[in-house]
Amino acid sequence: MVAAPVSIDTLCINSIRMLAVDAVNKSNSGHPGLPMGCAPMGYALWDKFLRHNPKNPKWFNRDRFVLSAGHGCMLLYALLHLTGYDSVTIEDIKEFRQWGARTPGHPETFETPGVEVTAGPLGAGISNAVGLAIAESHLAAKFNKPDTTIVDHFTYVIMGDGCNQEGVASEACSLAGHLKLGKLIALYDDNQITIDGRTDVSFTEDVLKRYESYGWHIQHVAEGNTDVNAIAKAIEKAKAVTDKPSIIKVTTTIGYGSPNKSDTAGVHGAPLGEEEASLTRKELDWSYGPFEVPEEAYNQYRQAIDRGAKLEKEWNQVLAEYRTKYSKESAEFERMLRGELPDGWEKDLPTYNPDDKGLATRKHSQICLGALGPNLPELIGGSADLTHSNYTDIKGESGSFQSNSRDKRYLHFGVREHAMAAILNGIAYHNSGLIPYGGTFLVFADYMRGSMRLSALSELGVIYVLTHDSIGVGEDGPTHQPIETIPSLRAMPNMLVFRPGDGNETSGAYKLAIANRNRPSSLCLSRQAMANQANSSIDKVALGGYILEDSEGAPDLILIGTGSELDLCVQAQKQLQQEGHKVRVVSMPCVELFEEQTDSYKNEVLPPTIRKRIVVEAAETFGWHKYIGLDGDSVTMHRFGASAPGGTCMEKFGFTVENVVAKSRGVLGID
Amino acid sequence: MVAAPVSIDTLCINSIRMLAVDAVNKSNSGHPGLPMGCAPMGYALWDKFLRHNPKNPKWFNRDRFVLSAGHGCMLLYALLHLTGYDSVTIEDIKEFRQWGARTPGHPETFETPGVEVTAGPLGAGISNAVGLAIAESHLAAKFNKPDTTIVDHFTYVIMGDGCNQEGVASEACSLAGHLKLGKLIALYDDNQITIDGRTDVSFTEDVLKRYESYGWHIQHVAEGNTDVNAIAKAIEKAKAVTDKPSIIKVTTTIGYGSPNKSDTAGVHGAPLGEEEASLTRKELDWSYGPFEVPEEAYNQYRQAIDRGAKLEKEWNQVLAEYRTKYSKESAEFERMLRGELPDGWEKDLPTYNPDDKGLATRKHSQICLGALGPNLPELIGGSADLTHSNYTDIKGESGSFQSNSRDKRYLHFGVREHAMAAILNGIAYHNSGLIPYGGTFLVFADYMRGSMRLSALSELGVIYVLTHDSIGVGEDGPTHQPIETIPSLRAMPNMLVFRPGDGNETSGAYKLAIANRNRPSSLCLSRQAMANQANSSIDKVALGGYILEDSEGAPDLILIGTGSELDLCVQAQKQLQQEGHKVRVVSMPCVELFEEQTDSYKNEVLPPTIRKRIVVEAAETFGWHKYIGLDGDSVTMHRFGASAPGGTCMEKFGFTVENVVAKSRGVLGID
C-alpha cells in the first residue's frame, strides 16, 4: 500500500499538534488537549487571514489574536514559532514552563512579544478582546479619513467552553453585541470537555443562541478537526458581517490524534506521556521526531514573514501620505503610538487652598477629568452604570461611544463591573496610547478584582475611579460600604492605591495615575465633602506620604491619616497642640509610593524612634501595623458598617476629633 | 363626575407605591422607582401565590422570596409590613435607613426577619435563589416519600435590568437551566431604565431569548403597571412548568405614578420630594396621608396571616405523620432544621504523626471530606470544574446532583466561580442545616469575592476549599499563583482564613469550619506535599496560633509560619538551636482565631518583649506587621510569581531553610 501524499494543510496542522505534545511531555506539565483540537482553526486563521508581521510584533495595524483559553498556550507558542517570531525559537519551546523561559505556563504579554493579552483566568481574554475591538473602532473613527485609512484591523479570539461559562465573558459579549463590534471574530472551540469531564455535567445551554440574543452573527463548523476549508469559509463570512461581532462554533475533539486520550478530560491538563505520544505519532502518520518540524510546514507558515513585511511597508506608505495630508492628526496619532503624553497635559489640574469650599473627592475627581479631558484626547473611559454617582463624565463633552458614534470616548459599560475592568485592560493592551479609566463604587472592586489583578500583573496603566470609599457612604449600608476593600487592594503587587485627602491630593493622584502607564491606579474617593488642607500639594502626593502638619521640635506622637479622615487628624492635632503636646500629622495618600522613597526620607517622616503613632482611616486596620508597629494604635474599622446617614455612621464608629484626641491621650499615656 | 370605585387590587398596589414614596422622602435617601413600578407584581405574587407565615418567618416549608434588585427594598419592607410581619411595623418604615432600624438601605437577613437573602450587590440575589432552589430540590429528593411530602416550596425572585447585566447572574442562570430547577420563578422588572439613563445606552440584548438558550421557560407580560391578572396568569403558568426554571419579563414603568419623574433615571435612586409626592398622590388618586394605609388594603393583605397559620399547621400535621412513619429520616431532617450537628460527626477526622507520609494539604482536605461525608449527610458541595485538582469529591460517593439525581450532594458548578459562591450562599440562606462547600484555585477567589463578602456579612457558614495556595503551584505561573489573595481574605471581617501546615492542622481547620455555622471559612491548601509536625494537633488549631516548637528558656527569636512554610521554620529552628540560639516556632493556621484569644494567651505565645520575630509565608507580607512590628523581618512575597516547577519557584523566591536561617541571623544581629 502506498501512503497517500500528505497535504500541506495536514502537515501544518500536525506540526502544531506535535509541538504541543512534545513540549508538554518534556516539561511534564501543561495542557496538550486544546492545541491538538484547535490546531486546524489556528492554522486556518494564522495562515490564511491574520495580518501581522512576525518580525515586528508591535506593528500597530496588525490584527490582534487573543487565545482566551490561555491554558492552551502551546497553540499560540507553536504559531508564533512556526510563523517566524524571534520571541519563540524551538529552544524556547523546549524550555516550556521552565524558570526564565519565554514560554511560560500561560501566555503573558510581559514575557513574550507576540502575545497580545495575558490569559489563563478564563473569560478574561475574550473580554479583553472586546476592549481591543473598541480601541480599534474608536481610533478608526477618530483618525481615518475618507481617502486614507490608517486604523483597520480585526480582533480574533479562540475561546473554549470555560470562557463561555464565565460571567465576565457574558457581560463583555453582551456589550460587544450592543456596540455592534463588527471586527471582533471569536472562534469557539466546542470540544464538550472540561476538567470535570464532559460538559454535560454542568453546561448544556445553547451557546450560539445566547450569542444571537446578544446581537452577534453566529455560525457553526461541524468538522473542526479536519475541515480547514469550512473554517476558512466561516471566517471569510464573519469578516463580511461588519455590523455585528461574530462567533463561529467549531466542533472539535480535545486531544485529537491521541488514540487513547482524545475526547477525555485526561488530555486537558496532563502530558500524554511517551507511550501515548508514540501512538499519537502513529495515529497522525507523523514520522518526525520530538520538536522536529517538517521543512514544508516551516516554508508554508513562514510566508507570513514576507507577507507581514509587505503589509507593514504598505501601511507605512499610507501613514506617510496621512502625515502629509493630515499633519495635525498624524502628529497626535504618532505621539500616541510612541506612548508620549502631550506637552502640558497636566497644566489645568486645579490646586486649592483652605479657603476653597471643601468638596467630596469624587467631585474633585470629576473636576480633574474635566481639566484633563481637553488636553488628553487619549483619555477614554466611563462607568459601570454609575456615571452620576462616580462623576466619571468629562465636562463639556456629550454623547458616548456607540455603534453610530465611535469617535466619542465615553463608555457606558452597563452594570458590568468585571467586563469593564477586562475591557479597560483590552484598551490598554491595544498599546496605542489610549488611557483607559472606569468607575464604580469602591466596594464593587470585588466584582472585578480578577481583572484588576491582571491590570497589575500585565503592567497596564488602567485607572480605576472608585467612589463611595467608606462607611461615609451612609444609608446604602454595609453591602455598599467598603471596609476591607482598600487594604485588599493595597495587598496587590504593582497596584497604586490612592486615597486623597483633599482637592490638591486628588489632582496629585490624577497626575500620577496618568503618568504611570505601566501600572494601574485605584483612586479611592469619598462620597462626602472634606476640607482643603493648608499644606497639601499636587507634588507631595508623589512621595506617597509626607508631613502635613508638624510640631515644633521632635513630635511625641504621629497621626497618620488618609482621605476623609485626614482632617480629623489635623483637627485633633490642633487640640492636642493647644494642650501642649507635640503632634505631627502625616498624610499618606499612597502607601505604595511612600514605600518607594529612600530610607532617609521615610525615616524623616516616620522617625524609627518615635513609636507613638496612630493611624486614622475608615477602613480595616489590616496592613497599617507596618507603620504603627506593636506600640501604636488606630482609629479604624473592625466590622462591617451599617445603614444610616453617613455622618451618623462616622460618629458611631468613632471617626470624630474627640475620639482621635482620646486615643492620642491613651497612646501618650496621659489618661 | 362621580369617581369610579377603586378596586381592591389598585388600593393594595398603591399602598406599596406610596409607602415607598413616603419612606424615601422621609429618610431623604433611597430608591422609590422600583417599588412604584414593581408594586403590581409584588402584590400579585404575595397576595395570590406566596405560601408563607407572617407570624413565623422561619417556617421551614415557606416559599422563598428574593428581591434581587435589593435597592428596591421598600417594596419588600412594604410587603412584609402589609402582610403582617412583626419585624416591619409602620414605625420601622418611618425609620427607613436610620441607625439601628430594621429597615436598612438594602435588605439584610441579619437585621430583618422575613428577608431571605441580603441583596444590593446586583446579580447576587438571583444567584442565591438558584442555591435556594437547589437546596429545596435536594432536600425534597432526600426526604420526601411517595406518600408524604415535607419539602415542597417555590423560590420566587424579582430582578431588574442590573441583575440581568451582571455576569454572576448569567453563570447561575445557565446552571439553573442545566439543572432544570422547575420551582425557581423569576419576575424580571423590565423598566428600561438604569442609573445611567435608558438601558439602550448599553443593554439591548434579547434577555428572554438568552434565558431560553439556558433552557428556561419564558413569558412576557406587556402591561406590568396595571394588568395584575396577566401577571397572575403568567405565574400560574410558570408554576405548571416543572422541568424548567421560569422567567417572566414584566414590562413596567419605573416610578409609575409620578407625573414628572416616572420613566426617568431620576426616580431610580433619589427621593421624589414633597411636591412630586403630592402630584403622585393626585395622579394615583390617593387621598391618604403619608404612611397611611387604607384599612381595606390591610384587610386584604393580612389574610396572609390566617392563611399562613393554616399552611404551617397543615405542614406540622404532615410532619407529625412523617415522624411516625419515617422516624430515622425525620430525626435527621428535624436535627438539620434545628441546626444541630450529629453526634460524633468529627470522630473520623484523621490525626497524623511525623512518621506519616507528608501530603499536600489539598490531599488532606480530600481525606477530611471523605472522613466527614458519611457522618455529615448535610455536607453538600463541589467544585467550579476543578474536582480533580481541588480534590473536593467525597470518597466512596459517585454521581452528582443533576435533574435526574437530585438526592446526590456533589455539585458540578462548571467554570463559574462567582455563581458557585452565590449558590453556596443560597444553600446556606435556606437555613435547613445544609453545610455548603465549594472549591476552586485560591487565586480565583478574586472571581467570587463579591459573594464571599456576602457570606461574611450575612454570617453564612460557607466553606471555601481554595487549593493551589502559593507560588508552589509552579508551572501554571503568575496568573495562577496567589500572592496577595490570602492577605486580602484576612482583611475581610467575619471570614475565617485557615492555612494549615500539615495533616493535623487540616483536620483541625475542617473541624472549625464545620462547627462555625455563622461565619464562612476559607481553607487555603497547598498543591504540594509537606511534612507532618510532631507537635501539631487538631485542637490547637482552635487557638489560631500556638507554640509548635520551643527553646529552653525564653526565646531570642520567634519564627511564625503557616502552611507549606511551617516546616521551613521547624528546620531552620533546628539548625539555629544547634548553633546555640534560642528559637521558638509559632504555627499560625488562623490569624482571626488567634486574635480572639485572651491577651494573656497571646502574650504567652508572642511575648511583647520578644520583638525579634520573623514571619515565613509564601504570600504578600501585607498584614503580618501586626506580629512582627517595626523590628521583625519576613520571608514573604513582594511581587507576582513566575512559571517554573513549584520547587524552583520556592527556591528562587527565597523559601528555603538557608534563607530563613540567614534572615534569622540578620534579626539576631549575628551576621
Side-chain angles (χ1 to χ4, degrees), chain B residues 528-551:
Chain B
Q528 73 277 26
M530 63 190 81
N532 285 299
Q533 298 299 329
N535 299 313
S536 65
S537 81
I538 290 181
D539 291 339
K540 286 177 187 165
V541 179
L543 299 168
Y546 61 95
I547 300 168
L548 182 77
E549 299 288 345
D550 211 357
S551 53

PDB file of all heavy atoms in Angstrom, chain B residues 528-551:
ATOM      1  N   GLN B 528       1.334  21.196  46.858  1.00  0.00           N
ATOM      2  CA  GLN B 528       2.498  20.333  47.074  1.00  0.00           C
ATOM      3  C   GLN B 528       2.522  19.737  48.489  1.00  0.00           C
ATOM      4  O   GLN B 528       1.903  20.275  49.401  1.00  0.00           O
ATOM      5  CB  GLN B 528       3.790  21.127  46.804  1.00  0.00           C
ATOM      6  CG  GLN B 528       4.180  22.166  47.851  1.00  0.00           C
ATOM      7  CD  GLN B 528       3.485  23.508  47.698  1.00  0.00           C
ATOM      8  OE1 GLN B 528       2.398  23.606  47.152  1.00  0.00           O
ATOM      9  NE2 GLN B 528       4.100  24.546  48.236  1.00  0.00           N
ATOM     10  N   ALA B 529       3.277  18.658  48.627  1.00  0.00           N
ATOM     11  CA  ALA B 529       3.345  17.942  49.905  1.00  0.00           C
ATOM     12  C   ALA B 529       4.149  18.708  50.947  1.00  0.00           C
ATOM     13  O   ALA B 529       4.988  19.535  50.619  1.00  0.00           O
ATOM     14  CB  ALA B 529       3.970  16.567  49.692  1.00  0.00           C
ATOM     15  N   MET B 530       3.857  18.411  52.209  1.00  0.00           N
ATOM     16  CA  MET B 530       4.649  18.972  53.310  1.00  0.00           C
ATOM     17  C   MET B 530       4.689  17.953  54.447  1.00  0.00           C
ATOM     18  O   MET B 530       3.836  17.064  54.528  1.00  0.00           O
ATOM     19  CB  MET B 530       4.048  20.291  53.791  1.00  0.00           C
ATOM     20  CG  MET B 530       2.647  20.182  54.365  1.00  0.00           C
ATOM     21  SD  MET B 530       1.875  21.804  54.654  1.00  0.00           S
ATOM     22  CE  MET B 530       1.311  22.220  53.010  1.00  0.00           C
ATOM     23  N   ALA B 531       5.679  18.096  55.309  1.00  0.00           N
ATOM     24  CA  ALA B 531       5.864  17.130  56.399  1.00  0.00           C
ATOM     25  C   ALA B 531       4.779  17.274  57.458  1.00  0.00           C
ATOM     26  O   ALA B 531       4.207  18.353  57.636  1.00  0.00           O
ATOM     27  CB  ALA B 531       7.234  17.361  57.044  1.00  0.00           C
ATOM     28  N   ASN B 532       4.497  16.173  58.170  1.00  0.00           N
ATOM     29  CA  ASN B 532       3.647  16.247  59.362  1.00  0.00           C
ATOM     30  C   ASN B 532       4.511  16.619  60.562  1.00  0.00           C
ATOM     31  O   ASN B 532       5.615  16.107  60.727  1.00  0.00           O
ATOM     32  CB  ASN B 532       2.945  14.909  59.585  1.00  0.00           C
ATOM     33  CG  ASN B 532       1.805  14.714  58.597  1.00  0.00           C
ATOM     34  OD1 ASN B 532       0.863  15.489  58.579  1.00  0.00           O
ATOM     35  ND2 ASN B 532       1.920  13.700  57.740  1.00  0.00           N
ATOM     36  N   GLN B 533       3.977  17.491  61.396  1.00  0.00           N
ATOM     37  CA  GLN B 533       4.742  18.012  62.529  1.00  0.00           C
ATOM     38  C   GLN B 533       4.495  17.179  63.790  1.00  0.00           C
ATOM     39  O   GLN B 533       3.403  16.643  63.995  1.00  0.00           O
ATOM     40  CB  GLN B 533       4.360  19.466  62.799  1.00  0.00           C
ATOM     41  CG  GLN B 533       4.679  20.404  61.644  1.00  0.00           C
ATOM     42  CD  GLN B 533       6.161  20.446  61.300  1.00  0.00           C
ATOM     43  OE1 GLN B 533       7.016  20.274  62.186  1.00  0.00           O
ATOM     44  NE2 GLN B 533       6.473  20.629  60.024  1.00  0.00           N
ATOM     45  N   ALA B 534       5.517  17.141  64.645  1.00  0.00           N
ATOM     46  CA  ALA B 534       5.420  16.363  65.881  1.00  0.00           C
ATOM     47  C   ALA B 534       4.409  16.962  66.854  1.00  0.00           C
ATOM     48  O   ALA B 534       3.698  16.239  67.554  1.00  0.00           O
ATOM     49  CB  ALA B 534       6.787  16.287  66.553  1.00  0.00           C
ATOM     50  N   ASN B 535       4.328  18.273  66.886  1.00  0.00           N
ATOM     51  CA  ASN B 535       3.537  18.904  67.949  1.00  0.00           C
ATOM     52  C   ASN B 535       2.290  19.632  67.467  1.00  0.00           C
ATOM     53  O   ASN B 535       1.738  20.464  68.178  1.00  0.00           O
ATOM     54  CB  ASN B 535       4.432  19.882  68.722  1.00  0.00           C
ATOM     55  CG  ASN B 535       5.588  19.135  69.363  1.00  0.00           C
ATOM     56  OD1 ASN B 535       5.394  18.093  69.983  1.00  0.00           O
ATOM     57  ND2 ASN B 535       6.792  19.653  69.166  1.00  0.00           N
ATOM     58  N   SER B 536       1.897  19.324  66.262  1.00  0.00           N
ATOM     59  CA  SER B 536       0.632  19.901  65.789  1.00  0.00           C
ATOM     60  C   SER B 536      -0.509  19.038  66.316  1.00  0.00           C
ATOM     61  O   SER B 536      -0.309  17.892  66.700  1.00  0.00           O
ATOM     62  CB  SER B 536       0.599  19.925  64.263  1.00  0.00           C
ATOM     63  OG  SER B 536       0.610  18.599  63.761  1.00  0.00           O
ATOM     64  N   SER B 537      -1.703  19.615  66.340  1.00  0.00           N
ATOM     65  CA  SER B 537      -2.860  18.809  66.721  1.00  0.00           C
ATOM     66  C   SER B 537      -4.121  19.454  66.194  1.00  0.00           C
ATOM     67  O   SER B 537      -4.127  20.644  65.856  1.00  0.00           O
ATOM     68  CB  SER B 537      -2.961  18.672  68.245  1.00  0.00           C
ATOM     69  OG  SER B 537      -3.569  19.825  68.791  1.00  0.00           O
ATOM     70  N   ILE B 538      -5.162  18.648  66.127  1.00  0.00           N
ATOM     71  CA  ILE B 538      -6.448  19.181  65.692  1.00  0.00           C
ATOM     72  C   ILE B 538      -6.885  20.320  66.610  1.00  0.00           C
ATOM     73  O   ILE B 538      -7.282  21.389  66.153  1.00  0.00           O
ATOM     74  CB  ILE B 538      -7.512  18.061  65.691  1.00  0.00           C
ATOM     75  CG1 ILE B 538      -7.223  17.052  64.567  1.00  0.00           C
ATOM     76  CG2 ILE B 538      -8.916  18.646  65.549  1.00  0.00           C
ATOM     77  CD1 ILE B 538      -8.245  15.924  64.468  1.00  0.00           C
ATOM     78  N   ASP B 539      -6.783  20.088  67.908  1.00  0.00           N
ATOM     79  CA  ASP B 539      -7.364  21.048  68.840  1.00  0.00           C
ATOM     80  C   ASP B 539      -6.621  22.377  68.889  1.00  0.00           C
ATOM     81  O   ASP B 539      -7.222  23.419  69.155  1.00  0.00           O
ATOM     82  CB  ASP B 539      -7.411  20.445  70.252  1.00  0.00           C
ATOM     83  CG  ASP B 539      -8.441  19.314  70.310  1.00  0.00           C
ATOM     84  OD1 ASP B 539      -9.333  19.291  69.436  1.00  0.00           O
ATOM     85  OD2 ASP B 539      -8.326  18.455  71.200  1.00  0.00           O
ATOM     86  N   LYS B 540      -5.325  22.328  68.650  1.00  0.00           N
ATOM     87  CA  LYS B 540      -4.574  23.586  68.748  1.00  0.00           C
ATOM     88  C   LYS B 540      -4.975  24.583  67.664  1.00  0.00           C
ATOM     89  O   LYS B 540      -4.772  25.789  67.825  1.00  0.00           O
ATOM     90  CB  LYS B 540      -3.072  23.306  68.684  1.00  0.00           C
ATOM     91  CG  LYS B 540      -2.529  22.696  69.973  1.00  0.00           C
ATOM     92  CD  LYS B 540      -1.048  22.366  69.838  1.00  0.00           C
ATOM     93  CE  LYS B 540      -0.532  21.592  71.046  1.00  0.00           C
ATOM     94  NZ  LYS B 540       0.792  20.974  70.753  1.00  0.00           N
ATOM     95  N   VAL B 541      -5.527  24.071  66.574  1.00  0.00           N
ATOM     96  CA  VAL B 541      -5.944  24.995  65.506  1.00  0.00           C
ATOM     97  C   VAL B 541      -6.991  25.980  66.020  1.00  0.00           C
ATOM     98  O   VAL B 541      -7.054  27.132  65.585  1.00  0.00           O
ATOM     99  CB  VAL B 541      -6.471  24.212  64.285  1.00  0.00           C
ATOM    100  CG1 VAL B 541      -6.926  25.163  63.182  1.00  0.00           C
ATOM    101  CG2 VAL B 541      -5.395  23.274  63.749  1.00  0.00           C
ATOM    102  N   ALA B 542      -7.776  25.535  66.989  1.00  0.00           N
ATOM    103  CA  ALA B 542      -8.812  26.410  67.548  1.00  0.00           C
ATOM    104  C   ALA B 542      -8.221  27.654  68.215  1.00  0.00           C
ATOM    105  O   ALA B 542      -8.904  28.662  68.390  1.00  0.00           O
ATOM    106  CB  ALA B 542      -9.665  25.644  68.555  1.00  0.00           C
ATOM    107  N   LEU B 543      -6.940  27.564  68.598  1.00  0.00           N
ATOM    108  CA  LEU B 543      -6.271  28.717  69.211  1.00  0.00           C
ATOM    109  C   LEU B 543      -5.790  29.707  68.153  1.00  0.00           C
ATOM    110  O   LEU B 543      -5.309  30.789  68.480  1.00  0.00           O
ATOM    111  CB  LEU B 543      -5.085  28.244  70.059  1.00  0.00           C
ATOM    112  CG  LEU B 543      -5.465  27.309  71.222  1.00  0.00           C
ATOM    113  CD1 LEU B 543      -4.218  26.659  71.811  1.00  0.00           C
ATOM    114  CD2 LEU B 543      -6.239  28.081  72.289  1.00  0.00           C
ATOM    115  N   GLY B 544      -5.862  29.298  66.898  1.00  0.00           N
ATOM    116  CA  GLY B 544      -5.447  30.190  65.815  1.00  0.00           C
ATOM    117  C   GLY B 544      -3.950  30.173  65.600  1.00  0.00           C
ATOM    118  O   GLY B 544      -3.465  30.034  64.484  1.00  0.00           O
ATOM    119  N   GLY B 545      -3.204  30.338  66.691  1.00  0.00           N
ATOM    120  CA  GLY B 545      -1.748  30.297  66.667  1.00  0.00           C
ATOM    121  C   GLY B 545      -1.267  29.662  67.948  1.00  0.00           C
ATOM    122  O   GLY B 545      -1.888  29.842  68.999  1.00  0.00           O
ATOM    123  N   TYR B 546      -0.170  28.913  67.880  1.00  0.00           N
ATOM    124  CA  TYR B 546       0.316  28.245  69.086  1.00  0.00           C
ATOM    125  C   TYR B 546       1.800  27.921  68.936  1.00  0.00           C
ATOM    126  O   TYR B 546       2.341  27.927  67.829  1.00  0.00           O
ATOM    127  CB  TYR B 546      -0.499  26.972  69.357  1.00  0.00           C
ATOM    128  CG  TYR B 546      -0.405  25.943  68.240  1.00  0.00           C
ATOM    129  CD1 TYR B 546       0.526  24.892  68.298  1.00  0.00           C
ATOM    130  CD2 TYR B 546      -1.222  26.020  67.120  1.00  0.00           C
ATOM    131  CE1 TYR B 546       0.623  23.964  67.272  1.00  0.00           C
ATOM    132  CE2 TYR B 546      -1.130  25.092  66.096  1.00  0.00           C
ATOM    133  CZ  TYR B 546      -0.208  24.069  66.175  1.00  0.00           C
ATOM    134  OH  TYR B 546      -0.104  23.162  65.159  1.00  0.00           O
ATOM    135  N   ILE B 547       2.411  27.617  70.083  1.00  0.00           N
ATOM    136  CA  ILE B 547       3.836  27.293  70.070  1.00  0.00           C
ATOM    137  C   ILE B 547       3.998  25.868  69.578  1.00  0.00           C
ATOM    138  O   ILE B 547       3.534  24.928  70.213  1.00  0.00           O
ATOM    139  CB  ILE B 547       4.443  27.443  71.481  1.00  0.00           C
ATOM    140  CG1 ILE B 547       4.259  28.895  71.960  1.00  0.00           C
ATOM    141  CG2 ILE B 547       5.927  27.058  71.472  1.00  0.00           C
ATOM    142  CD1 ILE B 547       4.561  29.090  73.445  1.00  0.00           C
ATOM    143  N   LEU B 548       4.645  25.724  68.434  1.00  0.00           N
ATOM    144  CA  LEU B 548       4.831  24.390  67.850  1.00  0.00           C
ATOM    145  C   LEU B 548       6.136  23.776  68.336  1.00  0.00           C
ATOM    146  O   LEU B 548       6.193  22.602  68.680  1.00  0.00           O
ATOM    147  CB  LEU B 548       4.838  24.492  66.315  1.00  0.00           C
ATOM    148  CG  LEU B 548       4.969  23.178  65.561  1.00  0.00           C
ATOM    149  CD1 LEU B 548       3.635  22.429  65.549  1.00  0.00           C
ATOM    150  CD2 LEU B 548       5.428  23.410  64.115  1.00  0.00           C
ATOM    151  N   GLU B 549       7.184  24.574  68.343  1.00  0.00           N
ATOM    152  CA  GLU B 549       8.488  24.146  68.847  1.00  0.00           C
ATOM    153  C   GLU B 549       9.013  25.279  69.709  1.00  0.00           C
ATOM    154  O   GLU B 549       8.845  26.442  69.367  1.00  0.00           O
ATOM    155  CB  GLU B 549       9.479  23.899  67.691  1.00  0.00           C
ATOM    156  CG  GLU B 549       9.061  22.812  66.718  1.00  0.00           C
ATOM    157  CD  GLU B 549       9.173  21.399  67.318  1.00  0.00           C
ATOM    158  OE1 GLU B 549       9.836  21.252  68.381  1.00  0.00           O
ATOM    159  OE2 GLU B 549       8.587  20.471  66.739  1.00  0.00           O
ATOM    160  N   ASP B 550       9.694  24.917  70.804  1.00  0.00           N
ATOM    161  CA  ASP B 550      10.145  25.999  71.674  1.00  0.00           C
ATOM    162  C   ASP B 550      11.601  25.801  72.080  1.00  0.00           C
ATOM    163  O   ASP B 550      12.166  24.715  71.939  1.00  0.00           O
ATOM    164  CB  ASP B 550       9.242  26.113  72.913  1.00  0.00           C
ATOM    165  CG  ASP B 550       9.138  27.552  73.411  1.00  0.00           C
ATOM    166  OD1 ASP B 550       9.803  28.432  72.824  1.00  0.00           O
ATOM    167  OD2 ASP B 550       8.380  27.788  74.362  1.00  0.00           O
ATOM    168  N   SER B 551      12.157  26.852  72.576  1.00  0.00           N
ATOM    169  CA  SER B 551      13.520  26.809  73.108  1.00  0.00           C
ATOM    170  C   SER B 551      13.442  26.523  74.596  1.00  0.00           C
ATOM    171  O   SER B 551      12.380  26.656  75.212  1.00  0.00           O
ATOM    172  CB  SER B 551      14.179  28.173  72.877  1.00  0.00           C
ATOM    173  OG  SER B 551      13.357  29.199  73.411  1.00  0.00           O
TER     174      SER B 551
END
